[in-house]
Amino acid sequence: MRKTSQTLYKTPFSPAYWKDAGASFRDLRGMVFAALMVAACIILSKFSLPVTDGLKITFGFMARALCALVYGPIGAVAFAVVEDTLSFILSSSGAPYFPGYMLTTALGCLIYALFFYRARITVTRIFLAKLLTNLMNVFLGSLWSAILYSKGYLYYMSTSAVKNSLLLIPQTLMLLVLFQALLPIAQQMHIIPRQVEGRIKFI
């Protein structure tokens, strides 16, 4: 098994970035790590932290972000398809499968990967990645709810916007704590490039 590339990129708009992403997708350690994160997502989906009536913090996004950090954009999308499908099979109550939610999960994992994979992790990057995924949840999640249920798109969008706005800062802080704790370990295991010395910087 090869060691991971030690190159960091300022943006994903580079042929070398996508060459590394393809290599990570084929790497056995990446596959094993993604499988562990699928299991983590399924387990974490059983737990939540209530905030108010109708508002709770779930934890699956943390495993998705961590998988995207290590496995890259190509692997993250494949991970999302597997994770969403298995989660549906294991938790389905007889409702028909709706692929829109898989698309939302895949795009969310792709966003995480574009911000975290082979990048110097900063508080700003974490916040922007979470902001974009929450915005996507508002617009796409509301569309899927409008298609599947009786109320109109604007109703679902307004309620989802409030929910995702309230969750943005707590979720950002949760990712910050997670990365601060696990990045040094991942660096020592050579599954991500060395980048963090001490605390994660703001910019």
Side-chain angles (χ1 to χ4, degrees):
M1 293 182 290
R2 68 179 185 88
K3 286 188 176 182
T4 187
S5 166
Q6 295 299 302
T7 304
L8 295 176
Y9 300 93
K10 291 184 177 180
T11 75
F13 305 110
S14 161
Y17 172 93
W18 291 98
K19 182 179 179 180
D20 272 356
S24 292
F25 177 58
R26 297 187 297 271
D27 185 61
L28 179 59
R29 289 179 304 173
M31 296 178 190
V32 172
F33 188 82
L36 290 173
M37 291 302 100
V38 168
C41 274
I42 293 173
I43 294 171
L44 289 171
S45 68
K46 308 297 182 183
F47 303 93
S48 63
L49 181 65
V51 179
T52 63
D53 290 340
L55 181 65
K56 60 184 179 180
I57 297 177
T58 56
F59 302 100
F61 75 94
M62 300 173 73
R64 295 183 187 115
L66 196 57
C67 182
L69 166 77
V70 173
Y71 204 24
I74 301 172
V77 171
F79 155 86
V81 172
V82 173
E83 186 253 313
D84 184 83
T85 303
L86 284 178
S87 295
F88 173 81
I89 293 171
L90 294 174
S91 64
S92 176
S93 58
Y97 180 74
F98 184 69
Y101 294 117
M102 180 184 70
L103 176 62
T104 302
T105 302
L107 289 176
C109 290
L110 177 61
I111 290 171
Y112 287 138
L114 294 178
F115 275 88
F116 300 150
Y117 177 74
R118 299 292 181 268
R120 188 171 300 281
I121 304 301
T122 64
V123 176
T124 301
R125 276 186 177 270
I126 295 172
F127 174 79
L128 290 176
K130 204 70 205 70
L131 175 64
L132 288 179
T133 54
N134 283 23
L135 285 173
M136 182 197 61
N137 288 338
V138 170
F139 292 108
L140 281 184
S142 301
L143 177 61
W144 310 146
S145 295
I147 291 172
L148 291 171
Y149 307 113
S150 57
K151 294 183 173 65
Y153 178 77
L154 291 179
Y155 168 82
Y156 292 112
M157 188 177 72
S158 60
T159 55
S160 181
V162 171
K163 171 187 173 182
N164 281 277
S165 296
L166 292 174
L167 291 177
L168 176 59
I169 298 303
Q171 289 174 330
T172 299
L173 292 174
M174 290 166 69
L175 281 181
L176 176 60
V177 171
L178 177 73
F179 284 173
Q180 187 67 64
L182 296 186
L183 284 180
I185 298 172
Q187 289 170 171
Q188 291 176 4
M189 295 174 64
H190 301 291
I191 58 175
I192 65 169
R194 180 161 294 279
Q195 55 166 288
V196 176
E197 298 295 341
R199 294 198 171 275
I200 294 174
K201 295 181 180 180
F202 187 80
I203 297 176

